[in-house]
Amino acid sequence: MLPKTVKRICCIGAGYVGGPTCAVIAKQNPDIQVTVVDLSEARIAAWKSTALPIFEPDLYEIVEVARDGTDGRRPNLHFSTDIATAIDEADLIFIAVNTPTKTAGLGAGKASNLAYVESAARMIAEAATSDKIVVEKSTVPCGTADSLRTIFAALAPHLAFDILSNPEFLAEGTAINDLLNPDRILIGSLKDAKSKSAAEALAQVYNWVPRNRIVTVNIWSSELAKLAANCMLAQRISSINSLSAICEATGAEIEELAQVVGLDVRIGGRMLKASAGFGGSCFKKDVLSLVYIAESLHLEEVALHWKSVVDLNEYQKGRFARRITRALHNTLANKRIAILGWAYKKNTRDTRESAAITIAGQLIAEGAQLAIYDPLVSEKQIFDDLESACPNASSSVKVYPDASAACIDACAVVIMTEWDEFKTDYAGSPTFGGMANSSTDDHHLTSTSTSASSDSGIDMQDDPSEKSAVLPAPGIDDNPNYSTKRIDWRHIAAVVRRPRLVFDGRNVVDSDMLASLGFRVQSIGKADVF
């Protein structure tokens, strides 16, 4: 059976997954019309503007080409709230909506909430007037395709829907590169000829990807593979973080340990960067989803194993907060602490499950006054996060437009995001600690660092709320060139209170270099340096 030629694509969900994925597909397929739809008028309006609703290096350039035809093409990337029309016109439909953890009912706190997936399926069944290929992009538990098939059979029995699984494996901050140069494209389908033909039609959409990187499996394996990959990555981070506690207690150094362990070809060196804890929208959610699946299958030992990954992550965050408290004589009452970084990793505005939120809440509970700075996260987002985690915290927090102002009179400086700006290298400055402000392009961010960003919770997940559509912090250029911008650590040394404590939750600074300026540095998995 010859594969169907895909001429039009509809993507339901204009968030972190749907937007970038379809922008790249449209850019690489000028003959395919791609329409991204969403119920949020504000989000769609942002996608049509120069201020995109999400931040991702190089995303705007991709969107501009396909959406505006800046390379001379006929524009083939569209954004709309007319969901029904886009569905009806499409040959292939991506479902890229959020699947958050349930907060009530059976499986609350662990199971995935598939309400948005079901809603999207119902919209497809009601709007479609011809056969469709429907593709799961959202992270879903094994067996979701069967549920979709049941919905379509009940609501549109006169039509044929080929259901495929095509999970994303994107890292925030590097999503465009991940899309253009993927490790693999996974496509799951049933084994009959018609389903295999649909899978081939989807494979042809990824025409820029080498064929040996397009992997086809059965649909249940594909659904489970996304959860399994995220859980294995989260487990790896929790494992290295557990060893960091031993290093701190014994005098071993976690970075040396990770290097040696990573030289074993059976292990490899990726995702062995110790930190104050992983964050992001997917790792915790997906691990807990796997825990619930194991519990549902009466595999209690399996469930306990995976739950320990999340428990260890919470322990690591609490351990870091307690370390700060102990260093400040076990009392933080009315002490000013500078928090540098709020996003869960660099090169993103996303704060979901950021370790900074948990640790800030614990410091506030001890009576601390926090001075927070992040180069991309808005003040409103920071206060929204704190209100959820630590109600009535606003009187204990002030957000600053630059790191130097946040550090004035601070009893301690706490680094929570591995922004290049916080590094102690010489990039962009003729003298150590200088601030380099290179010329910037309104829509471009360059970053070549591979420090801790890949270990802070790398996966992406769409969010249907307006939370992701936050603007940059006041006074900050939309996309400054953070690869060369550095804070002036000499100046910081002059404005913080003695004994000039720095707690590096991402192991991003050179401890010896800061010690030469009079700082006492406590890092993850290392002995104190002063």
Side-chain angles (χ1 to χ4, degrees):
M1 180 180 293
L2 293 176
K4 181 178 185 179
T5 300
V6 175
K7 296 289 188 181
R8 289 183 174 273
I9 291 174
C10 168
C11 177
I12 303 176
Y16 282 96
V17 174
T21 298
C22 286
V24 170
I25 287 176
K27 166 77 164 48
Q28 300 296 101
N29 291 273
D31 294 330
I32 298 179
Q33 294 296 311
V34 181
T35 302
V36 182
V37 296
D38 201 286
L39 291 172
S40 170
E41 293 183 0
R43 180 176 292 186
I44 292 300
W47 278 110
K48 291 180 177 181
S49 73
T50 59
L52 303 185
I54 65 173
F55 178 82
E56 192 66 39
D58 300 325
L59 173 60
Y60 184 82
E61 288 83 353
I62 298 290
V63 170
E64 191 176 36
V65 169
R67 184 192 66 188
D68 304 334
T70 56
D71 63 348
R73 74 168 68 194
R74 175 191 173 196
N76 67 318
L77 176 62
H78 316 282
F79 298 93
S80 175
T81 56
D82 187 354
I83 300 175
T85 298
I87 288 173
D88 190 35
E89 293 178 348
D91 304 305
L92 183 149
I93 302 167
F94 287 116
I95 297 178
V97 297
N98 195 21
T99 53
T101 301
K102 290 181 68 174
T103 57
L106 186 64
K110 297 176 184 175
S112 296
N113 185 344
L114 299 180
Y116 298 115
V117 173
E118 180 180 345
S119 176
R122 290 180 177 277
M123 285 190 286
I124 292 170
E126 292 167 1
T129 58
S130 60
D131 298 348
K132 307 292 180 186
I133 299 173
V134 178
V135 183
E136 300 171 337
K137 265 290 179 190
S138 302
T139 303
V140 295
C142 190
T144 301
D146 289 339
S147 297
L148 296 181
R149 200 170 287 109
T150 299
I151 292 172
F152 293 142
L155 298 182
H158 56 292
L159 298 177
F161 295 90
D162 292 303
I163 302 171
L164 304 176
S165 170
N166 177 219
E168 49 78 22
F169 296 96
L170 308 180
E172 287 192 47
T174 61
I176 298 304
N177 182 65
D178 296 339
L179 286 162
L180 291 173
N181 303 287
D183 295 326
R184 76 286 203 197
I185 296 294
L186 180 61
I187 300 175
S189 72
L190 297 178
K191 295 302 183 181
D192 61 275
K194 190 168 181 296
S195 296
K196 288 184 177 181
S197 176
E200 177 59 26
L202 177 58
Q204 291 180 8
V205 170
Y206 293 104
N207 56 41
W208 69 96
V209 180
R211 195 68 188 198
N212 61 0
R213 294 189 184 181
I214 298 179
V215 182
T216 55
V217 297
N218 77 54
I219 198 164
W220 300 280
S221 295
S222 180
E223 289 176 335
L224 186 58
K226 176 58 188 297
L227 286 178
N230 279 351
C231 291
M232 294 289 282
L233 292 172
Q235 175 183 249
R236 195 169 170 95
I237 298 171
S238 284
S239 294
I240 198 67
N241 282 343
S242 71
L243 292 171
S244 75
I246 297 176
C247 287
E248 291 166 23
T250 61
E253 291 209 1
I254 192 63
E255 290 178 345
E256 294 178 344
L257 182 66
Q259 180 186 19
V260 173
V261 171
L263 290 173
D264 188 324
V265 295
R266 297 168 300 174
I267 299 173
R270 300 289 298 275
M271 303 297 287
L272 290 178
K273 186 75 172 179
S275 69
F278 63 72
S281 63
C282 283
F283 277 1
K284 180 179 179 180
K285 175 182 74 70
D286 290 350
V287 172
L288 291 176
S289 178
L290 192 62
V291 169
Y292 179 72
I293 290 171
E295 290 176 343
S296 300
L297 297 172
H298 307 292
L299 303 172
E300 295 302 323
E301 290 80 6
V302 176
L304 289 172
H305 168 75
W306 289 111
K307 185 175 183 298
S308 71
V309 172
V310 173
D311 291 343
L312 199 290
N313 193 54
E314 295 304 313
Y315 163 76
Q316 183 78 344
K317 291 186 285 186
R319 193 173 68 84
F320 189 64
R322 291 191 295 273
R323 194 175 178 189
I324 296 169
T325 303
R326 284 196 303 270
L328 289 167
H329 312 295
N330 291 310
T331 178
L332 302 184
N334 298 315
K335 291 181 178 178
R336 179 182 170 105
I337 298 178
I339 304 291
L340 301 186
W342 194 257
Y344 85 91
K345 63 181 288 187
K346 73 175 185 177
N347 291 351
T348 182
R349 296 184 185 124
D350 195 352
T351 64
R352 288 175 287 175
E353 297 293 340
S354 173
I357 301 171
T358 303
I359 291 168
Q362 293 179 13
L363 298 180
I364 291 171
E366 293 288 340
Q369 297 291 313
L370 303 187
I372 302 173
Y373 165 70
D374 187 283
L376 275 187
V377 180
S378 70
E379 180 175 352
K380 179 182 182 300
Q381 185 63 61
I382 291 171
F383 278 108
D384 286 348
D385 292 336
L386 283 171
E387 185 61 30
S388 299
C390 187
N392 304 315
S394 58
S395 61
S396 301
V397 175
K398 187 172 181 180
V399 178
Y400 288 83
D402 62 79
S404 295
C407 291
I408 293 174
D409 289 331
C411 296
V413 177
V414 181
I415 300 173
M416 290 307 308
T417 309
E418 70 282 5
W419 288 104
D420 290 348
E421 180 178 345
F422 305 148
K423 287 182 176 180
T424 48
D425 59 20
Y426 291 81
S429 173
T431 59
F432 167 64
M435 179 76 80
N437 289 309
S438 64
S439 61
T440 60
D441 181 278
D442 285 343
H443 309 293
H444 186 64
L445 175 139
T446 59
S447 176
T448 57
S449 169
T450 58
S451 59
S453 62
S454 64
D455 298 350
S456 317
I458 69 165
D459 202 13
M460 300 179 73
Q461 175 66 46
D462 277 325
D463 185 344
S465 72
E466 290 303 308
K467 184 175 180 179
S468 63
V470 293
L471 298 176
I476 297 176
D477 292 337
D478 186 31
N479 299 338
N481 191 337
Y482 293 112
S483 63
T484 57
K485 184 178 180 181
R486 296 292 185 271
I487 65 174
D488 187 343
W489 281 102
R490 290 184 188 275
H491 175 70
I492 301 299
V495 300
V496 297
R497 292 188 176 187
R498 293 177 184 273
R500 300 191 182 104
L501 294 172
V502 172
F503 297 89
D504 186 1
R506 296 295 175 190
N507 287 355
V508 71
V509 301
D510 183 326
S511 300
D512 291 330
M513 190 175 287
L514 286 190
S516 71
L517 297 177
F519 288 98
R520 298 173 66 99
V521 184
Q522 296 192 24
S523 303
I524 301 294
K526 301 179 184 179
D528 298 354
V529 178
F530 55 91

